[in-house]
Amino acid sequence: MKVLINGSSISSGKPVWEHDRPSQPTWPYRLQEQLNFDMVNLAVSGAGSTYIHESTIAELSQRSYDLVLIMWTDFDRVDQKVAWPADFPSLHYTSWAQSKKDSPEVETHFVLDTEFIQQNWVFSGDYYQAGSKHTDENVNRLFDYTRFISPDVLMEQSLTRIISLQGVLKSMNIPYRFMFFKHPVGLHRFANLNNMIDWQNVIDEPHLFSLAHRNNWWDKSTGHPTAEAYSMYAHMLVDYLKDQKLV
């Protein structure tokens, strides 16, 4: 069985980019340990809905999969595909910079699928953390336009991409499930789009974020769930996927 996974740092092979290596495998690798499937994981730290949407479709155009699992992240993230990722050497949140952190010393389940991940994506995390004024002028030129975009616009765009990817997966007859890292707040403002989401194919509860906080499985130093949260979430997914006859 071959499974395609996409998302952000919570789903990535390297969840904590401020450190040389992560402290534990994230939920896809815990899931793989229990179900023993072949996996391609496109998730990278800082990614938003644009990257998830476009990179998933690009991968599906090249290889076949038996199941697709997507964990959508915060709707306020902005992703840009650029011609030359090396023009942004100061950024941590690029798919190119992250892939360069792989090393032979890192265990296999931590290593990004660099041969599958597109290398030319730049994410807005560094720009936002710098207070919307980065020391790198290339970064400012790339992301300054986001000052004119409201959170509602970003949410509307994210919902559209979720619906679009849903449509692609259905048209290709590929079994899939969507997840949200956090409970998506404010969907009532876009009721028509929200109603277009096939919620029968969304694993709505529990959200990994709430599971981690409810059980005190949250690492404040990294801003990510602990190993216990990832393990428990994967265990719940195993039961769900078996019950749905998806594995």
Side-chain angles (χ1 to χ4, degrees):
M1 181 176 188
K2 193 168 183 180
V3 179
L4 175 62
I5 290 174
N6 209 343
S8 62
S9 61
I10 302 299
S11 309
S12 170
K14 288 187 173 180
V16 185
W17 290 97
E18 290 75 18
H19 299 265
D20 291 335
R21 59 192 300 173
S23 57
Q24 72 278 328
T26 54
W27 66 268
Y29 302 93
R30 293 299 191 190
L31 189 66
Q32 185 186 37
E33 288 172 359
Q34 297 185 55
L35 295 177
N36 193 30
F37 50 72
D38 293 329
M39 177 174 68
V40 168
N41 185 1
L42 302 180
V44 290
S45 182
S49 58
T50 302
Y51 168 82
I52 295 171
H53 169 255
E54 294 193 17
S55 63
T56 300
I57 293 175
E59 177 60 28
L60 293 173
S61 73
Q62 299 180 68
R63 282 165 282 272
S64 299
Y65 290 90
D66 302 301
L67 178 65
V68 174
L69 299 175
I70 304 292
M71 182 171 281
W72 299 96
T73 185
D74 297 322
F75 292 159
D76 62 350
R77 296 181 175 183
V78 177
D79 314 325
Q80 292 284 358
K81 199 171 188 179
V82 298
W84 308 107
D87 287 342
F88 302 90
S90 65
L91 297 186
H92 296 95
Y93 296 109
T94 75
S95 55
W96 179 76
Q98 293 180 34
S99 70
K100 300 306 177 185
K101 294 179 184 257
D102 288 343
S103 76
E105 299 176 358
V106 180
E107 298 177 49
T108 302
H109 58 228
F110 288 135
V111 178
L112 284 170
D113 293 320
T114 52
E115 67 271 34
F116 299 103
I117 292 176
Q118 298 174 341
Q119 299 296 292
N120 52 348
W121 282 93
V122 178
F123 309 121
S124 60
D126 295 271
Y127 176 79
Y128 287 159
Q129 289 175 10
S132 299
K133 196 64 178 175
H134 201 271
T135 56
D136 187 332
E137 283 306 310
N138 278 353
V139 175
N140 291 328
R141 282 192 290 269
L142 187 65
F143 289 114
D144 267 354
Y145 79 95
T146 62
R147 294 183 292 118
F148 303 100
I149 300 178
S150 70
D152 276 0
V153 168
L154 293 174
M155 175 175 283
E156 183 178 28
Q157 291 175 341
S158 293
L159 289 174
T160 301
R161 289 171 186 126
I162 291 169
I163 294 164
S164 172
L165 183 54
Q166 168 185 283
V168 169
L169 290 162
K170 286 178 177 290
S171 70
M172 297 179 71
N173 199 30
I174 301 174
Y176 75 93
R177 287 297 184 273
F178 289 165
M179 296 158 276
F180 294 94
F181 169 54
K182 297 178 181 178
H183 176 70
V185 177
L187 295 185
H188 65 279
R189 296 198 295 272
F190 302 96
N192 292 340
L193 292 175
N194 185 44
N195 290 337
M196 291 181 70
I197 296 175
D198 183 357
W199 288 97
Q200 290 186 339
N201 281 330
V202 175
I203 305 175
D204 196 35
E205 288 289 347
H207 301 288
L208 180 52
F209 181 87
S210 58
L211 175 70
H213 280 274
R214 187 164 58 241
N215 293 282
N216 199 28
W217 292 337
W218 186 260
D219 186 345
K220 293 182 180 179
S221 67
T222 64
H224 287 76
T226 64
E228 292 85 357
Y230 288 127
S231 295
M232 179 56 70
Y233 191 75
H235 180 75
M236 292 176 174
L237 284 180
V238 169
D239 291 341
Y240 173 87
L241 294 172
K242 287 182 175 179
D243 181 67
Q244 294 285 305
K245 296 181 171 53
L246 292 170
V247 294

